Amino acid sequence: RLRLVESGGGTVQAGESLTLSCVASDSAYITQYQMAWFRQVPGQEREGVASMWKAEADKQYSDSAKGRFTISRDRTRTTLYLQMRDLQPDDTARYICAAGGLGLSELSYGFWGQGIQVTVSS
């Protein structure tokens, strides 16, 4: 079964940057599919942050991510990144990598990582 493993989370001050990574265990499989980042705060619904497949034109961002976050994949398309800048306390959440879905539609994704915590202090 495909495994997704996130890394790069942590605690930062407001205004700082952080880059998350997500590595997929099956490189032959994952290159065919979209990957995405979601985030979740305890007690709230999971929110789609950014998604992409192959090209720049495929990228989608939530309103809160536009202009501050950048999603990318490495050349093999097996590692997904989320560069986050100008982080704010509202960005505090568990960030979760997903694969095999469409855009920012949570229900369409079949593979999920465990997630990694990002905490932004004011």
Side-chain angles (χ1 to χ4, degrees), residues 8-64:
T11 300
V12 297
Q13 299 278 339
E16 293 185 339
S17 301
L18 206 59
T19 296
L20 305 181
S21 301
C22 170
V23 178
S25 62
D26 188 331
S27 60
Y29 175 89
I30 200 63
T31 57
Q32 306 173 53
Y33 296 100
Q34 288 199 15
M35 296 182 74
W37 288 100
F38 289 79
R39 67 185 185 185
Q40 189 165 26
V41 175
Q44 297 184 18
E45 291 186 0
R46 193 172 291 179
E47 173 192 8
V49 176
S51 70
M52 72 172 295
W53 186 36
K54 293 181 179 178
E56 192 69 28
D58 301 325
K59 296 180 180 180
Q60 294 187 39
Y61 293 96
S62 67
D63 287 344
S64 61

